[in-house]
Amino acid sequence: MSVIGMDISTNRITVAEIAKKRNKFMVLNAAVFELPQQVIEQGEIQDTRVVSRAIKEIWQHYRFGSRKVFVGLSNPKVIIKEVQLPLTDEHEIQSSIKLQINDLVPIGKDNIIYDYFISEKGDDFSKVMIAGAAKNMIDNIVESLRNVKINPVSIDLNCFSLYRVLNYMYGFDQLKDDKKKTAYCLINIGKSISIINMVTEGALKFPRFSNISVMTIVDNVSKKLGIDYGQTEKILDHFDFNQAFDLQFDRKLEPDEKPGSSGKPTTQDLNQNMAVKEAGMQFIAEMNRSIDYFTNRHSAYSIQKIFISGDTFTNFDRFIQQETNYEVEQIHIGSHFSLERLGRKSYYKNQTLDLLSNQLTLALGMALRGFGL
């Protein structure tokens, strides 16, 4: 049996089909398909016809094994909150949430779709994670899929998809009785929306969507250097955070020094370096705000490690570690998912599968849902 996961929340659609062999998942097929700008803005589909045509083209070209998909979305307007109820019976919890939903999630009662799960149970209370979204947001996703006869089995938030992938890879759920009060920060750097999750004692805490993303960094560098997006993306594609921020870049050229002499950086190099560094520091500032919010409410916990996934840059994990002193790990999907079958596909023979597979992180997390994870 194979299962297909899809991320449809940015101007890129990613699809991953996986199957399980013995105790390891194999990536059987995958697609990363770019959409025109403004087709999806802030996680909301603006033109269902364009998205439908793209999905149709994906299925025609990549020939996935099923038309049933588990869909993930990222949207800063989605409201996610954890509440504590003085209840333990699941039927009572369901009734209580139904009665209180418009107080818990401030979206009009005629335009809300919500779901929840019980994250913790005590002797006389339950902690419940509730997610609510505007109905028209979900309707546009369903319409885009069904227009081309693709059946959405479920629609989930990508913050849960990210946790699902990393929990499979690192076994966070085995830390439920953690006495050391350790916490982990999970980050997926998206093209236009990023995800920042906290995990304690095996449970997801404070999931949030952030607008600080790849395109934010591109935009900031573009404005700082006065160049267009295409030129900026080429710079970032070849930019190495590990090598660029050494001592020779943290100084000004001497008055009598010729630019580029003895292999030293030119003024252009220095300006480029500082523009990228400033953009990277903005991302770190956003990450730190989430961490501070968490630690202010859970002062007994300390962040043990930050995991980075998604559309990252060369050695960006080392840059974050250098600037924050947190231990940072860039995940590698291929170390836990077999990519052998994917590598046999004619359209991926000349591609770097490690980079491709990390772009599939959220789609893989949705596919794992189909296996009950």
Side-chain angles (χ1 to χ4, degrees):
M1 179 189 80
S2 66
V3 176
I4 299 173
M6 173 187 288
D7 171 28
I8 196 172
S9 54
T10 68
N11 284 314
R12 173 194 288 159
I13 297 174
T14 59
V15 188
E17 181 176 1
I18 65 173
K20 193 171 186 180
K21 185 176 183 180
R22 298 185 181 91
N23 293 321
K24 189 166 186 177
F25 285 102
M26 304 178 294
V27 182
L28 304 180
N29 203 355
V32 177
F33 192 94
E34 301 290 340
L35 293 170
Q37 294 294 322
Q38 285 84 48
V39 172
I40 301 177
E41 294 183 348
Q42 295 298 297
E44 295 187 50
I45 295 175
Q46 306 298 315
D47 193 329
T48 57
R49 293 172 300 175
V50 174
V51 174
S52 292
R53 286 198 296 268
I55 294 170
K56 182 179 180 179
E57 186 174 339
I58 290 170
W59 252 255
Q60 287 177 338
H61 180 72
Y62 294 91
R63 300 186 180 279
F64 287 96
S66 172
R67 302 188 77 83
K68 295 180 179 180
V69 296
F70 291 79
V71 183
L73 68 95
S74 301
N75 191 313
K77 294 181 182 178
V78 172
I79 296 172
I80 312 166
K81 62 174 13 176
E82 186 178 63
V83 298
Q84 184 167 309
L85 302 175
L87 304 167
T88 56
D89 181 81
E90 294 192 13
H91 292 291
E92 291 180 351
I93 291 171
Q94 182 180 23
S95 298
S96 177
I97 291 173
K98 185 176 182 179
L99 288 171
Q100 300 181 66
I101 189 61
N102 290 118
D103 295 324
L104 298 170
V105 180
I107 298 175
K109 63 180 181 180
D110 296 326
N111 190 36
I112 184 172
I113 292 179
Y114 70 91
D115 201 356
Y116 70 91
F117 67 88
I118 300 168
S119 57
E120 182 182 340
K121 271 192 178 184
D123 294 334
D124 57 357
F125 73 92
S126 297
K127 289 185 179 179
V128 182
M129 189 77 75
I130 301 174
K135 186 174 181 292
N136 61 316
M137 181 193 305
I138 306 301
D139 288 345
N140 283 344
I141 294 174
V142 174
E143 179 183 340
S144 298
L145 292 162
R146 290 184 173 167
N147 279 345
V148 287
K149 296 181 173 56
I150 302 296
N151 178 30
V153 180
S154 70
I155 297 176
D156 200 355
L157 297 179
N158 279 329
C159 51
F160 303 122
S161 179
L162 176 62
Y163 171 78
R164 199 176 292 121
V165 171
L166 269 69
N167 184 49
Y168 165 69
M169 294 174 67
Y170 298 99
F172 296 129
D173 57 359
Q174 299 174 18
L175 304 174
K176 291 182 179 179
D177 299 318
D178 178 25
K179 305 300 183 186
K180 296 180 181 179
K181 299 296 182 182
T182 55
Y184 300 91
C185 179
L186 319 181
I187 299 176
N188 186 83
I189 303 174
K191 187 175 181 183
S192 61
I193 300 172
S194 296
I195 301 168
I196 305 176
N197 289 343
M198 302 297 167
V199 174
T200 62
E201 298 181 29
L204 178 63
K205 301 287 184 181
F206 297 115
R208 64 182 291 257
F209 297 108
S210 170
N211 291 322
I212 304 295
S213 61
V214 170
M215 288 311 300
T216 308
I217 293 174
V218 170
D219 185 59
N220 288 341
V221 175
S222 173
K223 289 177 179 176
K224 188 76 175 177
L225 297 179
I227 58 178
D228 62 33
Y229 278 12
Q231 291 173 291
T232 305
E233 288 173 341
K234 286 180 180 178
I235 289 172
L236 290 170
D237 283 345
H238 297 93
F239 196 88
D240 187 333
F241 277 84
N242 188 44
Q243 296 176 4
F245 298 122
D246 56 24
L247 291 177
Q248 68 173 343
F249 277 89
D250 292 329
R251 65 171 184 81
K252 294 181 179 180
L253 292 172
E254 298 298 331
D256 59 347
E257 184 179 341
K258 294 181 180 180
S261 61
S262 303
K264 294 177 181 178
T266 65
T267 302
Q268 181 180 355
D269 293 331
L270 291 167
N271 290 339
Q272 178 180 296
N273 189 74
M274 291 310 300
V276 178
K277 184 173 184 178
E278 287 178 15
M281 291 302 296
Q282 184 181 12
F283 183 90
I284 289 175
E286 177 75 0
M287 179 195 77
N288 282 335
R289 278 192 287 271
S290 291
I291 291 175
D292 290 344
Y293 182 84
F294 167 77
T295 54
N296 287 339
R297 285 155 181 77
H298 294 79
S299 57
Y301 289 88
S302 59
I303 301 295
Q304 180 163 322
K305 183 182 284 190
I306 297 171
F307 294 91
I308 303 289
S309 66
D311 286 87
T312 187
F313 308 100
T314 303
N315 288 313
F316 192 50
D317 54 328
R318 297 186 182 183
F319 173 61
I320 295 173
Q321 181 164 306
Q322 172 186 304
E323 297 297 326
T324 64
N325 293 321
Y326 289 118
E327 184 180 354
V328 182
E329 180 177 337
Q330 168 72 51
I331 75 164
H332 296 282
I333 291 294
S335 64
H336 290 80
F337 291 80
S338 171
L339 304 177
E340 182 182 352
R341 291 280 294 275
L342 192 61
R344 296 177 192 169
K345 301 289 184 181
S346 59
Y347 35 83
Y348 290 130
K349 281 186 177 179
N350 297 320
Q351 289 206 23
T352 304
L353 291 183
D354 192 44
L355 175 62
L356 172 72
S357 61
N358 284 342
Q359 292 178 338
L360 298 171
T361 300
L362 301 178
L364 289 169
M366 290 311 306
L368 288 176
R369 175 168 174 167
F371 285 91
L373 299 180

mmCIF file with all atom_site columns, all heavy atoms in Angstrom, residues 170 183-186 302-307 326-329:
data_model
loop_
_atom_site.group_PDB
_atom_site.id
_atom_site.type_symbol
_atom_site.label_atom_id
_atom_site.label_alt_id
_atom_site.label_comp_id
_atom_site.label_asym_id
_atom_site.label_entity_id
_atom_site.label_seq_id
_atom_site.pdbx_PDB_ins_code
_atom_site.Cartn_x
_atom_site.Cartn_y
_atom_site.Cartn_z
_atom_site.occupancy
_atom_site.B_iso_or_equiv
_atom_site.pdbx_formal_charge
_atom_site.auth_seq_id
_atom_site.auth_comp_id
_atom_site.auth_asym_id
_atom_site.auth_atom_id
_atom_site.pdbx_PDB_model_num
ATOM 1   N N   . TYR A 1 170 ? 13.128 11.088 14.983 1.00 0.00 ? 170 TYR A N   1
ATOM 2   C CA  . TYR A 1 170 ? 13.888 11.235 16.231 1.00 0.00 ? 170 TYR A CA  1
ATOM 3   C C   . TYR A 1 170 ? 13.181 10.689 17.470 1.00 0.00 ? 170 TYR A C   1
ATOM 4   O O   . TYR A 1 170 ? 13.768 10.692 18.554 1.00 0.00 ? 170 TYR A O   1
ATOM 5   C CB  . TYR A 1 170 ? 14.234 12.713 16.452 1.00 0.00 ? 170 TYR A CB  1
ATOM 6   C CG  . TYR A 1 170 ? 15.117 13.276 15.368 1.00 0.00 ? 170 TYR A CG  1
ATOM 7   C CD1 . TYR A 1 170 ? 14.575 14.028 14.322 1.00 0.00 ? 170 TYR A CD1 1
ATOM 8   C CD2 . TYR A 1 170 ? 16.487 13.050 15.372 1.00 0.00 ? 170 TYR A CD2 1
ATOM 9   C CE1 . TYR A 1 170 ? 15.379 14.543 13.322 1.00 0.00 ? 170 TYR A CE1 1
ATOM 10  C CE2 . TYR A 1 170 ? 17.302 13.564 14.363 1.00 0.00 ? 170 TYR A CE2 1
ATOM 11  C CZ  . TYR A 1 170 ? 16.736 14.306 13.345 1.00 0.00 ? 170 TYR A CZ  1
ATOM 12  O OH  . TYR A 1 170 ? 17.535 14.810 12.343 1.00 0.00 ? 170 TYR A OH  1
ATOM 13  N N   . ALA A 1 183 ? 13.587 20.646 25.978 1.00 0.00 ? 183 ALA A N   1
ATOM 14  C CA  . ALA A 1 183 ? 12.654 21.048 24.932 1.00 0.00 ? 183 ALA A CA  1
ATOM 15  C C   . ALA A 1 183 ? 13.405 21.123 23.612 1.00 0.00 ? 183 ALA A C   1
ATOM 16  O O   . ALA A 1 183 ? 14.628 21.288 23.585 1.00 0.00 ? 183 ALA A O   1
ATOM 17  C CB  . ALA A 1 183 ? 12.025 22.396 25.270 1.00 0.00 ? 183 ALA A CB  1
ATOM 18  N N   . TYR A 1 184 ? 12.664 20.990 22.526 1.00 0.00 ? 184 TYR A N   1
ATOM 19  C CA  . TYR A 1 184 ? 13.241 21.050 21.196 1.00 0.00 ? 184 TYR A CA  1
ATOM 20  C C   . TYR A 1 184 ? 12.456 22.056 20.363 1.00 0.00 ? 184 TYR A C   1
ATOM 21  O O   . TYR A 1 184 ? 11.233 22.202 20.521 1.00 0.00 ? 184 TYR A O   1
ATOM 22  C CB  . TYR A 1 184 ? 13.203 19.678 20.520 1.00 0.00 ? 184 TYR A CB  1
ATOM 23  C CG  . TYR A 1 184 ? 13.959 18.614 21.277 1.00 0.00 ? 184 TYR A CG  1
ATOM 24  C CD1 . TYR A 1 184 ? 13.320 17.824 22.237 1.00 0.00 ? 184 TYR A CD1 1
ATOM 25  C CD2 . TYR A 1 184 ? 15.317 18.413 21.057 1.00 0.00 ? 184 TYR A CD2 1
ATOM 26  C CE1 . TYR A 1 184 ? 14.010 16.856 22.943 1.00 0.00 ? 184 TYR A CE1 1
ATOM 27  C CE2 . TYR A 1 184 ? 16.021 17.449 21.765 1.00 0.00 ? 184 TYR A CE2 1
ATOM 28  C CZ  . TYR A 1 184 ? 15.362 16.676 22.704 1.00 0.00 ? 184 TYR A CZ  1
ATOM 29  O OH  . TYR A 1 184 ? 16.057 15.733 23.408 1.00 0.00 ? 184 TYR A OH  1
ATOM 30  N N   . CYS A 1 185 ? 13.160 22.732 19.481 1.00 0.00 ? 185 CYS A N   1
ATOM 31  C CA  . CYS A 1 185 ? 12.534 23.676 18.560 1.00 0.00 ? 185 CYS A CA  1
ATOM 32  C C   . CYS A 1 185 ? 12.618 23.084 17.157 1.00 0.00 ? 185 CYS A C   1
ATOM 33  O O   . CYS A 1 185 ? 13.710 22.738 16.696 1.00 0.00 ? 185 CYS A O   1
ATOM 34  C CB  . CYS A 1 185 ? 13.239 25.021 18.631 1.00 0.00 ? 185 CYS A CB  1
ATOM 35  S SG  . CYS A 1 185 ? 12.579 26.275 17.501 1.00 0.00 ? 185 CYS A SG  1
ATOM 36  N N   . LEU A 1 186 ? 11.485 22.952 16.495 1.00 0.00 ? 186 LEU A N   1
ATOM 37  C CA  . LEU A 1 186 ? 11.419 22.394 15.151 1.00 0.00 ? 186 LEU A CA  1
ATOM 38  C C   . LEU A 1 186 ? 11.064 23.505 14.177 1.00 0.00 ? 186 LEU A C   1
ATOM 39  O O   . LEU A 1 186 ? 10.029 24.166 14.341 1.00 0.00 ? 186 LEU A O   1
ATOM 40  C CB  . LEU A 1 186 ? 10.371 21.281 15.056 1.00 0.00 ? 186 LEU A CB  1
ATOM 41  C CG  . LEU A 1 186 ? 10.264 20.289 16.219 1.00 0.00 ? 186 LEU A CG  1
ATOM 42  C CD1 . LEU A 1 186 ? 9.185  19.257 15.918 1.00 0.00 ? 186 LEU A CD1 1
ATOM 43  C CD2 . LEU A 1 186 ? 11.600 19.625 16.495 1.00 0.00 ? 186 LEU A CD2 1
ATOM 44  N N   . SER A 1 302 ? 14.532 23.973 29.091 1.00 0.00 ? 302 SER A N   1
ATOM 45  C CA  . SER A 1 302 ? 15.594 24.605 28.299 1.00 0.00 ? 302 SER A CA  1
ATOM 46  C C   . SER A 1 302 ? 15.654 23.941 26.930 1.00 0.00 ? 302 SER A C   1
ATOM 47  O O   . SER A 1 302 ? 15.412 22.742 26.796 1.00 0.00 ? 302 SER A O   1
ATOM 48  C CB  . SER A 1 302 ? 16.949 24.470 28.998 1.00 0.00 ? 302 SER A CB  1
ATOM 49  O OG  . SER A 1 302 ? 17.282 23.107 29.195 1.00 0.00 ? 302 SER A OG  1
ATOM 50  N N   . ILE A 1 303 ? 15.951 24.735 25.912 1.00 0.00 ? 303 ILE A N   1
ATOM 51  C CA  . ILE A 1 303 ? 16.031 24.221 24.545 1.00 0.00 ? 303 ILE A CA  1
ATOM 52  C C   . ILE A 1 303 ? 17.315 23.424 24.383 1.00 0.00 ? 303 ILE A C   1
ATOM 53  O O   . ILE A 1 303 ? 18.418 23.953 24.520 1.00 0.00 ? 303 ILE A O   1
ATOM 54  C CB  . ILE A 1 303 ? 15.999 25.365 23.517 1.00 0.00 ? 303 ILE A CB  1
ATOM 55  C CG1 . ILE A 1 303 ? 14.720 26.196 23.654 1.00 0.00 ? 303 ILE A CG1 1
ATOM 56  C CG2 . ILE A 1 303 ? 16.130 24.809 22.094 1.00 0.00 ? 303 ILE A CG2 1
ATOM 57  C CD1 . ILE A 1 303 ? 13.446 25.452 23.333 1.00 0.00 ? 303 ILE A CD1 1
ATOM 58  N N   . GLN A 1 304 ? 17.174 22.139 24.100 1.00 0.00 ? 304 GLN A N   1
ATOM 59  C CA  . GLN A 1 304 ? 18.345 21.282 23.937 1.00 0.00 ? 304 GLN A CA  1
ATOM 60  C C   . GLN A 1 304 ? 18.889 21.328 22.520 1.00 0.00 ? 304 GLN A C   1
ATOM 61  O O   . GLN A 1 304 ? 20.095 21.274 22.304 1.00 0.00 ? 304 GLN A O   1
ATOM 62  C CB  . GLN A 1 304 ? 18.011 19.840 24.309 1.00 0.00 ? 304 GLN A CB  1
ATOM 63  C CG  . GLN A 1 304 ? 19.197 18.885 24.171 1.00 0.00 ? 304 GLN A CG  1
ATOM 64  C CD  . GLN A 1 304 ? 18.974 17.589 24.905 1.00 0.00 ? 304 GLN A CD  1
ATOM 65  O OE1 . GLN A 1 304 ? 18.410 17.555 25.982 1.00 0.00 ? 304 GLN A OE1 1
ATOM 66  N NE2 . GLN A 1 304 ? 19.425 16.492 24.300 1.00 0.00 ? 304 GLN A NE2 1
ATOM 67  N N   . LYS A 1 305 ? 17.966 21.423 21.545 1.00 0.00 ? 305 LYS A N   1
ATOM 68  C CA  . LYS A 1 305 ? 18.430 21.413 20.153 1.00 0.00 ? 305 LYS A CA  1
ATOM 69  C C   . LYS A 1 305 ? 17.365 22.045 19.266 1.00 0.00 ? 305 LYS A C   1
ATOM 70  O O   . LYS A 1 305 ? 16.176 21.989 19.553 1.00 0.00 ? 305 LYS A O   1
ATOM 71  C CB  . LYS A 1 305 ? 18.717 19.982 19.690 1.00 0.00 ? 305 LYS A CB  1
ATOM 72  C CG  . LYS A 1 305 ? 19.280 19.883 18.273 1.00 0.00 ? 305 LYS A CG  1
ATOM 73  C CD  . LYS A 1 305 ? 19.516 18.438 17.834 1.00 0.00 ? 305 LYS A CD  1
ATOM 74  C CE  . LYS A 1 305 ? 20.742 17.848 18.463 1.00 0.00 ? 305 LYS A CE  1
ATOM 75  N NZ  . LYS A 1 305 ? 21.089 16.534 17.832 1.00 0.00 ? 305 LYS A NZ  1
ATOM 76  N N   . ILE A 1 306 ? 17.827 22.654 18.167 1.00 0.00 ? 306 ILE A N   1
ATOM 77  C CA  . ILE A 1 306 ? 16.950 23.186 17.133 1.00 0.00 ? 306 ILE A CA  1
ATOM 78  C C   . ILE A 1 306 ? 17.138 22.333 15.886 1.00 0.00 ? 306 ILE A C   1
ATOM 79  O O   . ILE A 1 306 ? 18.273 22.073 15.468 1.00 0.00 ? 306 ILE A O   1
ATOM 80  C CB  . ILE A 1 306 ? 17.290 24.655 16.814 1.00 0.00 ? 306 ILE A CB  1
ATOM 81  C CG1 . ILE A 1 306 ? 17.048 25.525 18.050 1.00 0.00 ? 306 ILE A CG1 1
ATOM 82  C CG2 . ILE A 1 306 ? 16.469 25.160 15.632 1.00 0.00 ? 306 ILE A CG2 1
ATOM 83  C CD1 . ILE A 1 306 ? 17.559 26.954 17.887 1.00 0.00 ? 306 ILE A CD1 1
ATOM 84  N N   . PHE A 1 307 ? 16.029 21.871 15.323 1.00 0.00 ? 307 PHE A N   1
ATOM 85  C CA  . PHE A 1 307 ? 16.064 21.089 14.086 1.00 0.00 ? 307 PHE A CA  1
ATOM 86  C C   . PHE A 1 307 ? 15.556 21.962 12.941 1.00 0.00 ? 307 PHE A C   1
ATOM 87  O O   . PHE A 1 307 ? 14.493 22.581 13.049 1.00 0.00 ? 307 PHE A O   1
ATOM 88  C CB  . PHE A 1 307 ? 15.189 19.837 14.200 1.00 0.00 ? 307 PHE A CB  1
ATOM 89  C CG  . PHE A 1 307 ? 15.690 18.829 15.197 1.00 0.00 ? 307 PHE A CG  1
ATOM 90  C CD1 . PHE A 1 307 ? 15.260 18.872 16.527 1.00 0.00 ? 307 PHE A CD1 1
ATOM 91  C CD2 . PHE A 1 307 ? 16.595 17.848 14.824 1.00 0.00 ? 307 PHE A CD2 1
ATOM 92  C CE1 . PHE A 1 307 ? 15.719 17.945 17.453 1.00 0.00 ? 307 PHE A CE1 1
ATOM 93  C CE2 . PHE A 1 307 ? 17.059 16.920 15.744 1.00 0.00 ? 307 PHE A CE2 1
ATOM 94  C CZ  . PHE A 1 307 ? 16.624 16.968 17.059 1.00 0.00 ? 307 PHE A CZ  1
ATOM 95  N N   . TYR A 1 326 ? 22.767 27.831 20.468 1.00 0.00 ? 326 TYR A N   1
ATOM 96  C CA  . TYR A 1 326 ? 21.962 26.615 20.549 1.00 0.00 ? 326 TYR A CA  1
ATOM 97  C C   . TYR A 1 326 ? 22.599 25.553 19.653 1.00 0.00 ? 326 TYR A C   1
ATOM 98  O O   . TYR A 1 326 ? 23.202 25.880 18.626 1.00 0.00 ? 326 TYR A O   1
ATOM 99  C CB  . TYR A 1 326 ? 20.528 26.858 20.060 1.00 0.00 ? 326 TYR A CB  1
ATOM 100 C CG  . TYR A 1 326 ? 19.681 27.704 20.974 1.00 0.00 ? 326 TYR A CG  1
ATOM 101 C CD1 . TYR A 1 326 ? 19.172 28.933 20.541 1.00 0.00 ? 326 TYR A CD1 1
ATOM 102 C CD2 . TYR A 1 326 ? 19.356 27.268 22.259 1.00 0.00 ? 326 TYR A CD2 1
ATOM 103 C CE1 . TYR A 1 326 ? 18.379 29.715 21.367 1.00 0.00 ? 326 TYR A CE1 1
ATOM 104 C CE2 . TYR A 1 326 ? 18.557 28.049 23.096 1.00 0.00 ? 326 TYR A CE2 1
ATOM 105 C CZ  . TYR A 1 326 ? 18.081 29.273 22.640 1.00 0.00 ? 326 TYR A CZ  1
ATOM 106 O OH  . TYR A 1 326 ? 17.304 30.042 23.464 1.00 0.00 ? 326 TYR A OH  1
ATOM 107 N N   . GLU A 1 327 ? 22.436 24.291 20.022 1.00 0.00 ? 327 GLU A N   1
ATOM 108 C CA  . GLU A 1 327 ? 22.844 23.224 19.118 1.00 0.00 ? 327 GLU A CA  1
ATOM 109 C C   . GLU A 1 327 ? 21.814 23.136 18.003 1.00 0.00 ? 327 GLU A C   1
ATOM 110 O O   . GLU A 1 327 ? 20.606 23.086 18.267 1.00 0.00 ? 327 GLU A O   1
ATOM 111 C CB  . GLU A 1 327 ? 22.937 21.886 19.860 1.00 0.00 ? 327 GLU A CB  1
ATOM 112 C CG  . GLU A 1 327 ? 23.443 20.754 18.983 1.00 0.00 ? 327 GLU A CG  1
ATOM 113 C CD  . GLU A 1 327 ? 23.538 19.423 19.709 1.00 0.00 ? 327 GLU A CD  1
ATOM 114 O OE1 . GLU A 1 327 ? 23.314 19.402 20.942 1.00 0.00 ? 327 GLU A OE1 1
ATOM 115 O OE2 . GLU A 1 327 ? 23.809 18.411 19.037 1.00 0.00 ? 327 GLU A OE2 1
ATOM 116 N N   . VAL A 1 328 ? 22.275 23.133 16.771 1.00 0.00 ? 328 VAL A N   1
ATOM 117 C CA  . VAL A 1 328 ? 21.374 23.155 15.620 1.00 0.00 ? 328 VAL A CA  1
ATOM 118 C C   . VAL A 1 328 ? 21.703 21.990 14.701 1.00 0.00 ? 328 VAL A C   1
ATOM 119 O O   . VAL A 1 328 ? 22.868 21.720 14.414 1.00 0.00 ? 328 VAL A O   1
ATOM 120 C CB  . VAL A 1 328 ? 21.492 24.480 14.842 1.00 0.00 ? 328 VAL A CB  1
ATOM 121 C CG1 . VAL A 1 328 ? 20.505 24.501 13.661 1.00 0.00 ? 328 VAL A CG1 1
ATOM 122 C CG2 . VAL A 1 328 ? 21.249 25.673 15.762 1.00 0.00 ? 328 VAL A CG2 1
ATOM 123 N N   . GLU A 1 329 ? 20.656 21.303 14.230 1.00 0.00 ? 329 GLU A N   1
ATOM 124 C CA  . GLU A 1 329 ? 20.853 20.190 13.308 1.00 0.00 ? 329 GLU A CA  1
ATOM 125 C C   . GLU A 1 329 ? 19.981 20.365 12.067 1.00 0.00 ? 329 GLU A C   1
ATOM 126 O O   . GLU A 1 329 ? 18.771 20.550 12.174 1.00 0.00 ? 329 GLU A O   1
ATOM 127 C CB  . GLU A 1 329 ? 20.499 18.856 13.976 1.00 0.00 ? 329 GLU A CB  1
ATOM 128 C CG  . GLU A 1 329 ? 20.683 17.655 13.061 1.00 0.00 ? 329 GLU A CG  1
ATOM 129 C CD  . GLU A 1 329 ? 20.414 16.329 13.744 1.00 0.00 ? 329 GLU A CD  1
ATOM 130 O OE1 . GLU A 1 329 ? 20.504 16.264 14.989 1.00 0.00 ? 329 GLU A OE1 1
ATOM 131 O OE2 . GLU A 1 329 ? 20.104 15.349 13.035 1.00 0.00 ? 329 GLU A OE2 1
#
